[in-house]
Amino acid sequence: MDKNQFLGRGWQFPPAFSAGNHQVMMNESEANINQSINLVLQTYRGERSLLPDFGSDLHHFLFRNRDATLKDEIALSVRQTLLHDEPRIHVDQVEVLYLAESDELVVIQVDYTIRQTNTRHNHVFPFSLLEGTNLTVGPNGAEPR
């Protein structure tokens, strides 16, 4: 089996078209896996009617206080989600980082090994704890008035 067949080839997301020949832009191999990781983590579990178990539960962590427990829960959730929905990789480590300059932004770094080629890669996924709002968090995590 060709390496690229196993690693996958698919439409670039969001869909884009080349100007010259009006073909759908494609990605393959490691780029396809990174795109797949993004799609899995951005999709809410239950959002796809034909694949109700596909996706992550990251939306459950919105508006939570930033602490060590939250880091552990996010890391465990990401690890389980990728184990279930991305069979081409083995997740080596998930690290959740709080950015000092931002109260709402969390960076999730996934270190993984591609099973077929045994090559190591990492993927950084930005996650906002205040997603979909223009709110800022006041002192002690209180909402502004």
Side-chain angles (χ1 to χ4, degrees):
M1 178 187 294
D2 183 26
K3 171 183 125 176
N4 290 338
Q5 284 180 321
F6 178 81
L7 296 182
R9 184 168 197 259
W11 283 26
Q12 190 174 17
F13 188 82
F17 298 89
S18 64
N21 59 7
H22 307 289
Q23 297 289 320
V24 174
M25 301 287 286
M26 306 291 276
N27 66 20
E28 59 186 33
S29 302
E30 291 84 4
N32 186 262
I33 290 174
N34 282 326
Q35 178 178 296
S36 176
I37 291 171
N38 269 343
L39 287 173
V40 168
L41 295 178
Q42 290 173 357
T43 302
Y44 296 159
R45 191 173 310 268
E47 183 177 7
R48 292 188 176 183
S49 59
L50 297 178
L51 294 171
D53 293 331
F54 181 84
S56 75
D57 289 325
L58 286 178
H59 63 283
H60 292 298
F61 303 111
L62 295 175
F63 306 108
R64 295 264 309 268
N65 289 329
R66 292 176 12 152
D67 58 14
T69 302
L70 180 62
K71 276 185 172 183
D72 291 342
E73 289 176 12
I74 290 173
L76 180 62
S77 178
V78 168
R79 181 179 289 280
Q80 289 175 337
T81 297
L82 293 177
L83 175 68
H84 182 266
D85 292 328
E86 185 47 78
R88 298 175 289 179
I89 66 171
H90 175 272
V91 177
D92 299 321
Q93 181 179 358
V94 177
E95 186 173 4
V96 179
L97 305 169
Y98 295 139
L99 298 181
E101 66 273 0
S102 173
D103 283 338
E104 72 273 358
L105 192 62
V106 175
V107 174
I108 303 169
Q109 180 171 326
V110 180
D111 296 328
Y112 64 90
T113 303
I114 298 174
R115 294 179 191 270
Q116 182 70 20
T117 61
N118 203 27
T119 56
R120 296 192 60 168
H121 298 272
N122 66 31
H123 183 78
V124 176
F125 181 79
F127 176 66
S128 175
L129 293 174
L130 297 176
E131 187 172 304
T133 70
N134 290 327
L135 295 177
T136 58
V137 175
N140 299 325
E143 291 185 26
R145 296 180 223 183

